[in-house]
Amino acid sequence: MELRQLRYFVTLAEELHFGRAAAREHIVQSALSHQVQRLERTLGVVLVVRSTRHIELTEAGTRFLAEARQILSRVERATAVALGAANTGPVLRIGVLDEGYEAVRPVLHQFFARHPDVEVHLVHAGVPEQCRSLLDGRLDVGIGRASAVPPEITTELFRLDPLGVLVADGHRLAGRAAVPVSLLADEPLLMPDERQAPESLRFLTELCRSAGFFPNRFRGSVQGLRAGADLVARGCCSMVVPESAVPAGELRWRPLVQPTPRYPWSLLWRAHEVPDEVRMLVATARSLSRRESWRAGDVGLAS
């Protein structure tokens, strides 16, 4: 087995097209195909199913992809260390969206203080992308609602975050101490993006249905909490956000009641491989969750 064969296979798996993969590797298509076939013969398994229209990874290919990425990453790191050009400490890659970052921020701050040698990289990714990246080795940990993750991924709930509605100053709901969910029926709501955060969209939709209505969805969309807050400030819509993610400024956040929902934040990681730095992050989240009582109370509306 040669390193170039691993690299060619990883590139092919990312492109799912021999021509594009060959162009990325600056070789002719036939040479790339030949090297992938040699790799398959060496392993004794088929990694790629080829057809005239498209290619796809076999189950063995999907499993091998995660290992191949890690091998190549370690080789790159070993080379850098040999050249004296890299920090030799462990690396932790975490996938998270804006709201999830705010929920996990205290955990990360404590983790940084306890483990300053760990090099942490935060990657903007929703739960569907987190799961794909965890399985193929591009991420080590994900943050989100773990309602529909594959069995190869382990999850642990660390925080139940009170939900509230974010409105502009002067809005009809701004003067209330708390807002019954039913009062959102006539509000144009900025909903989570279905492709990026389908689990959040389902949670909010189910919450509205539990109060007897379907959400009145605002027709626009944004990427990110700050952009959503700008729309709310302009009076275009309202937005349901967790308490931990309330932005600073003149907007008003009012907790939802009748029912009283809390959003479930979980850590996600690969079940078959748990590096020390992942174990340390999970331990930090458990400790902080107990100390702050983040999971206390009824979890009926946090599933």
Side-chain angles (χ1 to χ4, degrees):
M1 188 184 302
E2 301 178 17
L3 287 176
R4 64 171 176 167
Q5 293 172 346
L6 296 182
R7 191 176 72 248
Y8 294 164
F9 168 70
V10 169
T11 302
L12 179 61
E14 292 173 349
E15 295 292 342
L16 293 179
H17 189 281
F18 277 100
R20 291 195 296 268
R24 271 183 55 182
E25 293 295 335
H26 306 290
I27 60 174
V28 296
Q29 182 173 325
S30 59
L32 185 138
S33 178
H34 176 67
Q35 291 300 328
V36 172
Q37 289 173 348
R38 284 188 59 190
L39 177 61
E40 290 175 319
R41 287 196 297 269
T42 299
L43 295 171
V45 297
V46 176
L47 301 174
V48 179
V49 177
R50 304 158 176 83
S51 73
T52 55
R53 290 183 175 273
H54 70 283
I55 68 170
E56 61 183 21
L57 298 183
T58 63
E59 182 179 351
T62 300
R63 292 172 180 256
F64 185 69
L65 176 60
E67 303 298 328
R69 278 199 172 109
Q70 292 181 36
I71 291 170
L72 293 174
S73 176
R74 290 178 183 273
V75 169
E76 291 178 3
R77 188 167 185 79
T79 302
V81 169
L83 296 174
N87 175 9
T88 58
V91 175
L92 188 63
R93 298 160 299 175
I94 302 173
V96 65
L97 292 179
D98 290 356
E99 296 89 337
Y101 175 75
E102 297 301 330
V104 80
R105 185 206 294 262
V107 176
L108 294 178
H109 285 184
Q110 191 167 116
F111 181 81
F112 295 152
R114 291 180 176 180
H115 309 286
D117 58 316
V118 179
E119 180 182 318
V120 176
H121 296 272
L122 297 178
V123 180
H124 187 79
V127 170
E129 185 179 351
Q130 289 174 24
C131 290
R132 291 190 294 269
S133 297
L134 285 168
L135 292 176
D136 66 22
R138 287 178 292 171
L139 284 179
D140 302 303
V141 176
I143 309 292
R145 181 191 178 205
S147 57
V149 300
E152 298 87 355
I153 293 176
T154 298
T155 70
E156 181 165 325
L157 178 70
F158 71 92
R159 185 168 188 168
L160 295 174
D161 209 349
L163 281 181
V165 60
L166 194 66
V167 297
D169 190 23
H171 188 278
R172 68 182 183 91
L173 300 177
R176 287 180 168 267
V179 176
V181 174
S182 60
L183 292 186
L184 300 181
D186 297 324
E187 286 294 313
L189 293 176
L190 181 62
M191 303 290 282
D193 183 88
E194 186 171 9
R195 291 169 298 179
Q196 191 173 56
E199 74 290 344
S200 298
L201 178 61
R202 285 194 297 269
F203 188 93
L204 183 52
T205 301
E206 291 162 5
L207 174 63
C208 293
R209 291 183 63 183
S210 74
F213 68 95
F214 284 94
N216 176 22
R217 186 166 187 165
F218 177 68
R219 296 181 64 182
S221 64
V222 296
Q223 295 290 326
L225 181 60
R226 181 176 297 180
D230 285 343
L231 286 177
V232 173
R234 286 161 44 198
C236 300
C237 58
S238 301
M239 182 167 59
V240 174
V241 299
E243 185 178 30
S244 66
V246 176
E250 298 181 355
L251 297 178
R252 298 290 179 262
W253 181 87
R254 297 294 179 259
L256 291 173
V257 293
Q258 300 174 21
T260 303
R262 294 195 291 170
Y263 195 81
W265 295 110
S266 292
L267 298 176
L268 296 72
W269 67 92
R270 284 186 300 279
H272 70 280
E273 178 192 10
V274 189
D276 289 342
E277 50 271 21
V278 173
R279 296 180 192 275
M280 293 186 297
L281 181 65
V282 172
T284 302
R286 285 174 183 163
S287 173
L288 198 57
S289 182
R290 285 194 298 266
R291 192 184 78 192
E292 300 296 331
S293 300
W294 281 344
R295 294 181 54 177
D298 181 16
V299 298
L301 284 169
S303 60

PDB file of all heavy atoms in Angstrom, residues 13-41:
ATOM      1  N   ALA A  13     -13.074   9.910  -3.309  1.00  0.00           N
ATOM      2  CA  ALA A  13     -14.236   9.826  -2.427  1.00  0.00           C
ATOM      3  C   ALA A  13     -14.879  11.193  -2.223  1.00  0.00           C
ATOM      4  O   ALA A  13     -16.098  11.302  -2.053  1.00  0.00           O
ATOM      5  CB  ALA A  13     -13.829   9.232  -1.084  1.00  0.00           C
ATOM      6  N   GLU A  14     -14.073  12.244  -2.211  1.00  0.00           N
ATOM      7  CA  GLU A  14     -14.598  13.599  -2.037  1.00  0.00           C
ATOM      8  C   GLU A  14     -15.261  14.122  -3.305  1.00  0.00           C
ATOM      9  O   GLU A  14     -16.265  14.836  -3.246  1.00  0.00           O
ATOM     10  CB  GLU A  14     -13.478  14.534  -1.597  1.00  0.00           C
ATOM     11  CG  GLU A  14     -12.963  14.238  -0.196  1.00  0.00           C
ATOM     12  CD  GLU A  14     -11.740  15.051   0.174  1.00  0.00           C
ATOM     13  OE1 GLU A  14     -11.156  15.708  -0.727  1.00  0.00           O
ATOM     14  OE2 GLU A  14     -11.355  15.022   1.357  1.00  0.00           O
ATOM     15  N   GLU A  15     -14.710  13.776  -4.451  1.00  0.00           N
ATOM     16  CA  GLU A  15     -15.232  14.278  -5.721  1.00  0.00           C
ATOM     17  C   GLU A  15     -16.317  13.390  -6.317  1.00  0.00           C
ATOM     18  O   GLU A  15     -17.194  13.871  -7.034  1.00  0.00           O
ATOM     19  CB  GLU A  15     -14.089  14.424  -6.733  1.00  0.00           C
ATOM     20  CG  GLU A  15     -13.041  15.463  -6.355  1.00  0.00           C
ATOM     21  CD  GLU A  15     -13.578  16.879  -6.397  1.00  0.00           C
ATOM     22  OE1 GLU A  15     -14.637  17.104  -7.029  1.00  0.00           O
ATOM     23  OE2 GLU A  15     -12.953  17.763  -5.798  1.00  0.00           O
ATOM     24  N   LEU A  16     -16.204  12.056  -6.046  1.00  0.00           N
ATOM     25  CA  LEU A  16     -17.101  11.069  -6.666  1.00  0.00           C
ATOM     26  C   LEU A  16     -17.144  11.228  -8.182  1.00  0.00           C
ATOM     27  O   LEU A  16     -18.197  11.074  -8.822  1.00  0.00           O
ATOM     28  CB  LEU A  16     -18.510  11.168  -6.059  1.00  0.00           C
ATOM     29  CG  LEU A  16     -18.624  10.757  -4.582  1.00  0.00           C
ATOM     30  CD1 LEU A  16     -20.054  10.928  -4.082  1.00  0.00           C
ATOM     31  CD2 LEU A  16     -18.152   9.327  -4.374  1.00  0.00           C
ATOM     32  N   HIS A  17     -15.980  11.528  -8.731  1.00  0.00           N
ATOM     33  CA  HIS A  17     -15.850  11.715 -10.185  1.00  0.00           C
ATOM     34  C   HIS A  17     -14.372  11.544 -10.540  1.00  0.00           C
ATOM     35  O   HIS A  17     -13.514  12.269 -10.021  1.00  0.00           O
ATOM     36  CB  HIS A  17     -16.339  13.116 -10.567  1.00  0.00           C
ATOM     37  CG  HIS A  17     -16.452  13.334 -12.043  1.00  0.00           C
ATOM     38  ND1 HIS A  17     -15.356  13.612 -12.837  1.00  0.00           N
ATOM     39  CD2 HIS A  17     -17.528  13.301 -12.864  1.00  0.00           C
ATOM     40  CE1 HIS A  17     -15.750  13.766 -14.087  1.00  0.00           C
ATOM     41  NE2 HIS A  17     -17.074  13.578 -14.129  1.00  0.00           N
ATOM     42  N   PHE A  18     -14.070  10.588 -11.406  1.00  0.00           N
ATOM     43  CA  PHE A  18     -12.675  10.297 -11.726  1.00  0.00           C
ATOM     44  C   PHE A  18     -11.981  11.486 -12.395  1.00  0.00           C
ATOM     45  O   PHE A  18     -10.821  11.788 -12.103  1.00  0.00           O
ATOM     46  CB  PHE A  18     -12.588   9.067 -12.639  1.00  0.00           C
ATOM     47  CG  PHE A  18     -12.646   7.768 -11.890  1.00  0.00           C
ATOM     48  CD1 PHE A  18     -13.826   7.043 -11.827  1.00  0.00           C
ATOM     49  CD2 PHE A  18     -11.523   7.270 -11.247  1.00  0.00           C
ATOM     50  CE1 PHE A  18     -13.893   5.849 -11.131  1.00  0.00           C
ATOM     51  CE2 PHE A  18     -11.577   6.067 -10.551  1.00  0.00           C
ATOM     52  CZ  PHE A  18     -12.771   5.356 -10.490  1.00  0.00           C
ATOM     53  N   GLY A  19     -12.694  12.169 -13.289  1.00  0.00           N
ATOM     54  CA  GLY A  19     -12.075  13.286 -13.991  1.00  0.00           C
ATOM     55  C   GLY A  19     -11.698  14.418 -13.054  1.00  0.00           C
ATOM     56  O   GLY A  19     -10.575  14.943 -13.105  1.00  0.00           O
ATOM     57  N   ARG A  20     -12.618  14.816 -12.155  1.00  0.00           N
ATOM     58  CA  ARG A  20     -12.335  15.899 -11.216  1.00  0.00           C
ATOM     59  C   ARG A  20     -11.253  15.499 -10.216  1.00  0.00           C
ATOM     60  O   ARG A  20     -10.395  16.310  -9.847  1.00  0.00           O
ATOM     61  CB  ARG A  20     -13.611  16.315 -10.478  1.00  0.00           C
ATOM     62  CG  ARG A  20     -14.649  17.005 -11.358  1.00  0.00           C
ATOM     63  CD  ARG A  20     -15.708  17.697 -10.519  1.00  0.00           C
ATOM     64  NE  ARG A  20     -16.478  16.741  -9.738  1.00  0.00           N
ATOM     65  CZ  ARG A  20     -17.620  16.175 -10.154  1.00  0.00           C
ATOM     66  NH1 ARG A  20     -18.096  16.465 -11.363  1.00  0.00           N
ATOM     67  NH2 ARG A  20     -18.276  15.330  -9.377  1.00  0.00           N
ATOM     68  N   ALA A  21     -11.311  14.243  -9.769  1.00  0.00           N
ATOM     69  CA  ALA A  21     -10.291  13.774  -8.832  1.00  0.00           C
ATOM     70  C   ALA A  21      -8.913  13.785  -9.471  1.00  0.00           C
ATOM     71  O   ALA A  21      -7.921  14.203  -8.856  1.00  0.00           O
ATOM     72  CB  ALA A  21     -10.646  12.373  -8.337  1.00  0.00           C
ATOM     73  N   ALA A  22      -8.823  13.332 -10.716  1.00  0.00           N
ATOM     74  CA  ALA A  22      -7.538  13.322 -11.417  1.00  0.00           C
ATOM     75  C   ALA A  22      -7.014  14.733 -11.616  1.00  0.00           C
ATOM     76  O   ALA A  22      -5.812  15.002 -11.470  1.00  0.00           O
ATOM     77  CB  ALA A  22      -7.692  12.612 -12.766  1.00  0.00           C
ATOM     78  N   ALA A  23      -7.931  15.670 -11.929  1.00  0.00           N
ATOM     79  CA  ALA A  23      -7.513  17.060 -12.109  1.00  0.00           C
ATOM     80  C   ALA A  23      -6.959  17.635 -10.813  1.00  0.00           C
ATOM     81  O   ALA A  23      -5.955  18.357 -10.816  1.00  0.00           O
ATOM     82  CB  ALA A  23      -8.692  17.895 -12.613  1.00  0.00           C
ATOM     83  N   ARG A  24      -7.590  17.325  -9.674  1.00  0.00           N
ATOM     84  CA  ARG A  24      -7.092  17.809  -8.382  1.00  0.00           C
ATOM     85  C   ARG A  24      -5.712  17.263  -8.065  1.00  0.00           C
ATOM     86  O   ARG A  24      -4.890  17.941  -7.456  1.00  0.00           O
ATOM     87  CB  ARG A  24      -8.067  17.411  -7.271  1.00  0.00           C
ATOM     88  CG  ARG A  24      -9.168  18.405  -7.015  1.00  0.00           C
ATOM     89  CD  ARG A  24     -10.052  17.977  -5.870  1.00  0.00           C
ATOM     90  NE  ARG A  24      -9.316  17.713  -4.632  1.00  0.00           N
ATOM     91  CZ  ARG A  24      -9.890  17.294  -3.508  1.00  0.00           C
ATOM     92  NH1 ARG A  24     -11.207  17.083  -3.482  1.00  0.00           N
ATOM     93  NH2 ARG A  24      -9.172  17.081  -2.422  1.00  0.00           N
ATOM     94  N   GLU A  25      -5.472  16.019  -8.475  1.00  0.00           N
ATOM     95  CA  GLU A  25      -4.179  15.387  -8.185  1.00  0.00           C
ATOM     96  C   GLU A  25      -3.153  15.624  -9.285  1.00  0.00           C
ATOM     97  O   GLU A  25      -2.015  15.150  -9.189  1.00  0.00           O
ATOM     98  CB  GLU A  25      -4.381  13.881  -7.980  1.00  0.00           C
ATOM     99  CG  GLU A  25      -5.176  13.529  -6.730  1.00  0.00           C
ATOM    100  CD  GLU A  25      -4.450  13.915  -5.465  1.00  0.00           C
ATOM    101  OE1 GLU A  25      -3.205  14.009  -5.487  1.00  0.00           O
ATOM    102  OE2 GLU A  25      -5.118  14.139  -4.432  1.00  0.00           O
ATOM    103  N   HIS A  26      -3.568  16.331 -10.351  1.00  0.00           N
ATOM    104  CA  HIS A  26      -2.656  16.673 -11.455  1.00  0.00           C
ATOM    105  C   HIS A  26      -2.080  15.423 -12.116  1.00  0.00           C
ATOM    106  O   HIS A  26      -0.889  15.345 -12.444  1.00  0.00           O
ATOM    107  CB  HIS A  26      -1.520  17.581 -10.958  1.00  0.00           C
ATOM    108  CG  HIS A  26      -1.998  18.810 -10.258  1.00  0.00           C
ATOM    109  ND1 HIS A  26      -2.625  19.853 -10.920  1.00  0.00           N
ATOM    110  CD2 HIS A  26      -1.982  19.153  -8.935  1.00  0.00           C
ATOM    111  CE1 HIS A  26      -2.954  20.786 -10.047  1.00  0.00           C
ATOM    112  NE2 HIS A  26      -2.582  20.391  -8.838  1.00  0.00           N
ATOM    113  N   ILE A  27      -2.935  14.412 -12.313  1.00  0.00           N
ATOM    114  CA  ILE A  27      -2.547  13.223 -13.054  1.00  0.00           C
ATOM    115  C   ILE A  27      -3.649  12.910 -14.051  1.00  0.00           C
ATOM    116  O   ILE A  27      -4.753  13.465 -13.975  1.00  0.00           O
ATOM    117  CB  ILE A  27      -2.315  12.005 -12.129  1.00  0.00           C
ATOM    118  CG1 ILE A  27      -3.594  11.655 -11.359  1.00  0.00           C
ATOM    119  CG2 ILE A  27      -1.171  12.259 -11.165  1.00  0.00           C
ATOM    120  CD1 ILE A  27      -3.486  10.379 -10.544  1.00  0.00           C
ATOM    121  N   VAL A  28      -3.389  12.007 -14.962  1.00  0.00           N
ATOM    122  CA  VAL A  28      -4.413  11.632 -15.934  1.00  0.00           C
ATOM    123  C   VAL A  28      -5.406  10.684 -15.265  1.00  0.00           C
ATOM    124  O   VAL A  28      -5.082   9.986 -14.293  1.00  0.00           O
ATOM    125  CB  VAL A  28      -3.793  10.964 -17.179  1.00  0.00           C
ATOM    126  CG1 VAL A  28      -2.899  11.951 -17.909  1.00  0.00           C
ATOM    127  CG2 VAL A  28      -3.025   9.704 -16.813  1.00  0.00           C
ATOM    128  N   GLN A  29      -6.606  10.649 -15.802  1.00  0.00           N
ATOM    129  CA  GLN A  29      -7.677   9.868 -15.186  1.00  0.00           C
ATOM    130  C   GLN A  29      -7.349   8.390 -15.127  1.00  0.00           C
ATOM    131  O   GLN A  29      -7.637   7.712 -14.126  1.00  0.00           O
ATOM    132  CB  GLN A  29      -8.971  10.092 -15.971  1.00  0.00           C
ATOM    133  CG  GLN A  29     -10.181   9.378 -15.405  1.00  0.00           C
ATOM    134  CD  GLN A  29     -11.463   9.770 -16.116  1.00  0.00           C
ATOM    135  OE1 GLN A  29     -11.623  10.918 -16.529  1.00  0.00           O
ATOM    136  NE2 GLN A  29     -12.370   8.817 -16.280  1.00  0.00           N
ATOM    137  N   SER A  30      -6.746   7.866 -16.178  1.00  0.00           N
ATOM    138  CA  SER A  30      -6.437   6.435 -16.208  1.00  0.00           C
ATOM    139  C   SER A  30      -5.441   6.054 -15.112  1.00  0.00           C
ATOM    140  O   SER A  30      -5.529   4.968 -14.524  1.00  0.00           O
ATOM    141  CB  SER A  30      -5.880   6.048 -17.580  1.00  0.00           C
ATOM    142  OG  SER A  30      -4.703   6.796 -17.873  1.00  0.00           O
ATOM    143  N   ALA A  31      -4.493   6.955 -14.814  1.00  0.00           N
ATOM    144  CA  ALA A  31      -3.495   6.661 -13.776  1.00  0.00           C
ATOM    145  C   ALA A  31      -4.165   6.620 -12.399  1.00  0.00           C
ATOM    146  O   ALA A  31      -3.859   5.752 -11.578  1.00  0.00           O
ATOM    147  CB  ALA A  31      -2.395   7.708 -13.792  1.00  0.00           C
ATOM    148  N   LEU A  32      -5.080   7.556 -12.149  1.00  0.00           N
ATOM    149  CA  LEU A  32      -5.770   7.549 -10.863  1.00  0.00           C
ATOM    150  C   LEU A  32      -6.610   6.287 -10.712  1.00  0.00           C
ATOM    151  O   LEU A  32      -6.603   5.632  -9.665  1.00  0.00           O
ATOM    152  CB  LEU A  32      -6.640   8.801 -10.734  1.00  0.00           C
ATOM    153  CG  LEU A  32      -7.336   8.969  -9.374  1.00  0.00           C
ATOM    154  CD1 LEU A  32      -7.277  10.414  -8.919  1.00  0.00           C
ATOM    155  CD2 LEU A  32      -8.799   8.509  -9.444  1.00  0.00           C
ATOM    156  N   SER A  33      -7.346   5.921 -11.767  1.00  0.00           N
ATOM    157  CA  SER A  33      -8.171   4.716 -11.718  1.00  0.00           C
ATOM    158  C   SER A  33      -7.311   3.476 -11.473  1.00  0.00           C
ATOM    159  O   SER A  33      -7.682   2.595 -10.682  1.00  0.00           O
ATOM    160  CB  SER A  33      -8.949   4.568 -13.027  1.00  0.00           C
ATOM    161  OG  SER A  33      -9.716   3.392 -13.026  1.00  0.00           O
ATOM    162  N   HIS A  34      -6.163   3.412 -12.116  1.00  0.00           N
ATOM    163  CA  HIS A  34      -5.261   2.265 -11.961  1.00  0.00           C
ATOM    164  C   HIS A  34      -4.769   2.153 -10.518  1.00  0.00           C
ATOM    165  O   HIS A  34      -4.723   1.044  -9.948  1.00  0.00           O
ATOM    166  CB  HIS A  34      -4.084   2.404 -12.923  1.00  0.00           C
ATOM    167  CG  HIS A  34      -3.057   1.329 -12.777  1.00  0.00           C
ATOM    168  ND1 HIS A  34      -3.301   0.018 -13.100  1.00  0.00           N
ATOM    169  CD2 HIS A  34      -1.772   1.371 -12.306  1.00  0.00           C
ATOM    170  CE1 HIS A  34      -2.226  -0.708 -12.854  1.00  0.00           C
ATOM    171  NE2 HIS A  34      -1.287   0.096 -12.376  1.00  0.00           N
ATOM    172  N   GLN A  35      -4.396   3.269  -9.910  1.00  0.00           N
ATOM    173  CA  GLN A  35      -3.879   3.237  -8.545  1.00  0.00           C
ATOM    174  C   GLN A  35      -4.969   2.847  -7.544  1.00  0.00           C
ATOM    175  O   GLN A  35      -4.699   2.136  -6.564  1.00  0.00           O
ATOM    176  CB  GLN A  35      -3.274   4.587  -8.176  1.00  0.00           C
ATOM    177  CG  GLN A  35      -1.987   4.922  -8.906  1.00  0.00           C
ATOM    178  CD  GLN A  35      -0.894   3.903  -8.626  1.00  0.00           C
ATOM    179  OE1 GLN A  35      -0.810   3.320  -7.553  1.00  0.00           O
ATOM    180  NE2 GLN A  35      -0.044   3.681  -9.627  1.00  0.00           N
ATOM    181  N   VAL A  36      -6.187   3.310  -7.761  1.00  0.00           N
ATOM    182  CA  VAL A  36      -7.291   2.914  -6.877  1.00  0.00           C
ATOM    183  C   VAL A  36      -7.560   1.422  -7.008  1.00  0.00           C
ATOM    184  O   VAL A  36      -7.806   0.727  -6.011  1.00  0.00           O
ATOM    185  CB  VAL A  36      -8.561   3.736  -7.177  1.00  0.00           C
ATOM    186  CG1 VAL A  36      -9.765   3.188  -6.404  1.00  0.00           C
ATOM    187  CG2 VAL A  36      -8.342   5.204  -6.817  1.00  0.00           C
ATOM    188  N   GLN A  37      -7.490   0.900  -8.236  1.00  0.00           N
ATOM    189  CA  GLN A  37      -7.672  -0.537  -8.435  1.00  0.00           C
ATOM    190  C   GLN A  37      -6.563  -1.333  -7.755  1.00  0.00           C
ATOM    191  O   GLN A  37      -6.816  -2.389  -7.161  1.00  0.00           O
ATOM    192  CB  GLN A  37      -7.716  -0.851  -9.927  1.00  0.00           C
ATOM    193  CG  GLN A  37      -8.987  -0.368 -10.625  1.00  0.00           C
ATOM    194  CD  GLN A  37      -8.917  -0.544 -12.130  1.00  0.00           C
ATOM    195  OE1 GLN A  37      -7.851  -0.816 -12.682  1.00  0.00           O
ATOM    196  NE2 GLN A  37     -10.044  -0.380 -12.798  1.00  0.00           N
ATOM    197  N   ARG A  38      -5.342  -0.837  -7.829  1.00  0.00           N
ATOM    198  CA  ARG A  38      -4.231  -1.507  -7.138  1.00  0.00           C
ATOM    199  C   ARG A  38      -4.468  -1.522  -5.630  1.00  0.00           C
ATOM    200  O   ARG A  38      -4.194  -2.522  -4.952  1.00  0.00           O
ATOM    201  CB  ARG A  38      -2.911  -0.797  -7.446  1.00  0.00           C
ATOM    202  CG  ARG A  38      -2.348  -1.072  -8.826  1.00  0.00           C
ATOM    203  CD  ARG A  38      -0.960  -0.482  -8.961  1.00  0.00           C
ATOM    204  NE  ARG A  38      -0.043  -1.039  -7.951  1.00  0.00           N
ATOM    205  CZ  ARG A  38       1.182  -0.552  -7.711  1.00  0.00           C
ATOM    206  NH1 ARG A  38       1.622   0.490  -8.385  1.00  0.00           N
ATOM    207  NH2 ARG A  38       1.928  -1.111  -6.791  1.00  0.00           N
ATOM    208  N   LEU A  39      -4.980  -0.422  -5.098  1.00  0.00           N
ATOM    209  CA  LEU A  39      -5.281  -0.352  -3.674  1.00  0.00           C
ATOM    210  C   LEU A  39      -6.350  -1.379  -3.305  1.00  0.00           C
ATOM    211  O   LEU A  39      -6.240  -2.070  -2.282  1.00  0.00           O
ATOM    212  CB  LEU A  39      -5.755   1.058  -3.311  1.00  0.00           C
ATOM    213  CG  LEU A  39      -6.188   1.302  -1.861  1.00  0.00           C
ATOM    214  CD1 LEU A  39      -5.030   1.046  -0.897  1.00  0.00           C
ATOM    215  CD2 LEU A  39      -6.703   2.730  -1.693  1.00  0.00           C
ATOM    216  N   GLU A  40      -7.376  -1.506  -4.139  1.00  0.00           N
ATOM    217  CA  GLU A  40      -8.428  -2.486  -3.880  1.00  0.00           C
ATOM    218  C   GLU A  40      -7.871  -3.909  -3.906  1.00  0.00           C
ATOM    219  O   GLU A  40      -8.247  -4.745  -3.069  1.00  0.00           O
ATOM    220  CB  GLU A  40      -9.546  -2.330  -4.912  1.00  0.00           C
ATOM    221  CG  GLU A  40     -10.369  -1.052  -4.747  1.00  0.00           C
ATOM    222  CD  GLU A  40     -11.393  -0.865  -5.837  1.00  0.00           C
ATOM    223  OE1 GLU A  40     -11.071  -1.146  -7.014  1.00  0.00           O
ATOM    224  OE2 GLU A  40     -12.522  -0.440  -5.524  1.00  0.00           O
ATOM    225  N   ARG A  41      -6.983  -4.187  -4.846  1.00  0.00           N
ATOM    226  CA  ARG A  41      -6.389  -5.527  -4.909  1.00  0.00           C
ATOM    227  C   ARG A  41      -5.534  -5.798  -3.668  1.00  0.00           C
ATOM    228  O   ARG A  41      -5.537  -6.897  -3.122  1.00  0.00           O
ATOM    229  CB  ARG A  41      -5.547  -5.678  -6.178  1.00  0.00           C
ATOM    230  CG  ARG A  41      -6.367  -5.803  -7.446  1.00  0.00           C
ATOM    231  CD  ARG A  41      -5.530  -6.336  -8.596  1.00  0.00           C
ATOM    232  NE  ARG A  41      -4.446  -5.425  -8.947  1.00  0.00           N
ATOM    233  CZ  ARG A  41      -4.544  -4.471  -9.857  1.00  0.00           C
ATOM    234  NH1 ARG A  41      -5.701  -4.277 -10.493  1.00  0.00           N
ATOM    235  NH2 ARG A  41      -3.516  -3.683 -10.131  1.00  0.00           N
TER     236      ARG A  41
END
